[in-house]
Amino acid sequence: MTIEELGLLAGAIMSIAGLIAFFAKPVLNSSKELNKTITELNLTLNLLSKDLEASKEDRKEIHEQLKRQDERLDSHELKLAEHGQQIKTLFVKER
C-alpha cells in the first residue's frame, strides 16, 4: 500500500467514525434524559401511591366516625320522640 492509499483509507475511516459519532451522540444523550425522566416519574408515582394509601386510611376513619355520629343522632332522635310523648301525656293529665 502506498501512502496515498493509506491516506484515503484513514480519511474514509475518520469520515465513517465522524458520522457514527455525529448520529450516536444525540441518541445517547436523549436516552440519558429519558432514563432520568423515567426515574423521576417512578419516584413521583411511588409518592402518589403512598399518598393515595394514606388517603384511603383517612377515608376509612372518617366513615367510622360518621357511622358513630349517625348512631348518636338516631339515639337522640329516639329520646326526643320519647320526651315529646311524655310532654303530651303531662298536658293531657293536667286537663
Side-chain angles (χ1 to χ4, degrees):
M1 267 192 180
T2 65
I3 288 198
E4 293 169 353
E5 290 174 342
L6 285 175
L8 284 173
L9 184 60
I13 291 173
M14 292 297 285
S15 295
I16 291 172
L19 283 173
I20 290 172
F22 180 75
F23 288 109
K25 187 174 180 179
V27 171
L28 291 176
N29 286 341
S30 65
S31 69
K32 286 179 186 177
E33 286 294 320
L34 284 173
N35 284 337
K36 180 182 172 188
T37 304
I38 289 171
T39 303
E40 291 173 355
L41 285 172
N42 281 335
L43 178 62
T44 303
L45 282 174
N46 286 337
L47 291 174
L48 285 173
S49 177
K50 288 178 184 178
D51 286 346
L52 184 62
E53 191 64 34
S55 174
K56 184 179 177 182
E57 292 300 319
D58 286 343
R59 280 184 310 211
K60 284 182 182 178
E61 290 177 22
I62 289 170
H63 283 287
E64 286 297 320
Q65 289 177 356
L66 287 174
K67 185 177 176 182
R68 287 192 301 271
Q69 292 294 330
D70 283 344
E71 289 170 357
R72 288 181 66 196
L73 285 173
D74 289 343
S75 172
H76 288 298
E77 187 177 333
L78 289 174
K79 286 179 185 178
L80 283 173
E82 289 174 7
H83 291 170
Q85 288 294 350
Q86 290 172 352
I87 290 172
K88 284 180 186 177
T89 304
L90 288 174
F91 278 122
V92 169
K93 284 183 181 178
E94 286 183 3
R95 290 187 178 174

